[in-house]
Amino acid sequence: MKPSPAMLAQIDPANAPHWEAARRGELAVQCCVQCAAARLPCAPVCTACGSAEHIWRTVGRGGRVLSWCRFHKPYFKDVAVPYAVLLVELDCGLRIFANPCQQYEGGPNIGDAIEIVFDTIENGTPLMRVRKQEGAA
């Protein structure tokens, strides 16, 4: 799936640490200093306790497929349909939406082991995607 300009990250000072880590192939998330809750996308305050204090932490890129859907309606003019969107739970507990790197015959299986990967697109922006973990059944 070729990304549409509308799907590209809007990098600003608040989320720049995440994207700097992504360029290195690492997954960095905000973690609350007060309660240790992790969050992605970044936010000015913790959604668990309301604290504005946070640090950036690199977490593992592994996880599991929780759910997925295939879109047949074109929401972005530059993206061919159909395309899949997966809801994955990372090993650190965060849940995120991402597009898969590969086409799944019939779709992914709930519980499939995945890993987050970063593709670099034309303008140098990293694009977060999901792929089935090597060696996973």
Side-chain angles (χ1 to χ4, degrees):
M1 176 177 75
K2 181 181 178 198
S4 164
M7 298 169 67
L8 300 179
Q10 300 299 312
I11 301 173
D12 59 35
N15 65 21
H18 169 76
W19 296 110
E20 289 165 8
R23 284 187 181 98
R24 297 187 304 270
E26 300 172 349
L27 180 58
V29 300
Q30 277 185 327
C31 291
C32 178
V33 171
Q34 298 299 315
C35 73
R39 61 186 184 264
L40 184 68
C42 71
V45 297
C46 177
T47 55
C49 75
S51 172
E53 296 180 74
H54 70 272
I55 58 171
W56 286 91
R57 182 169 290 140
T58 301
V59 298
R61 295 180 295 125
R64 300 238 173 248
V65 175
L66 290 181
S67 186
W68 70 279
C69 65
R70 183 171 288 127
F71 287 86
H72 295 271
K73 180 179 178 183
Y75 290 96
F76 303 101
K77 69 176 183 161
D78 301 331
V79 177
V81 293
Y83 63 93
V85 176
L86 282 61
L87 172 62
V88 299
E89 183 171 57
L90 299 174
D91 293 339
C92 69
L94 280 177
R95 292 179 177 186
I96 62 169
F97 291 99
N99 298 109
C101 292
Q102 74 274 27
Q103 294 295 325
Y104 284 89
E105 184 68 31
N109 294 314
I110 304 304
D112 276 352
I114 59 88
E115 64 183 331
I116 300 295
V117 295
F118 295 96
D119 294 333
T120 302
I121 53 178
E122 300 87 29
N123 66 357
T125 301
L127 180 66
M128 185 168 57
R129 295 192 193 211
V130 171
R131 79 170 165 217
K132 194 170 183 178
Q133 255 182 11
E134 298 291 328

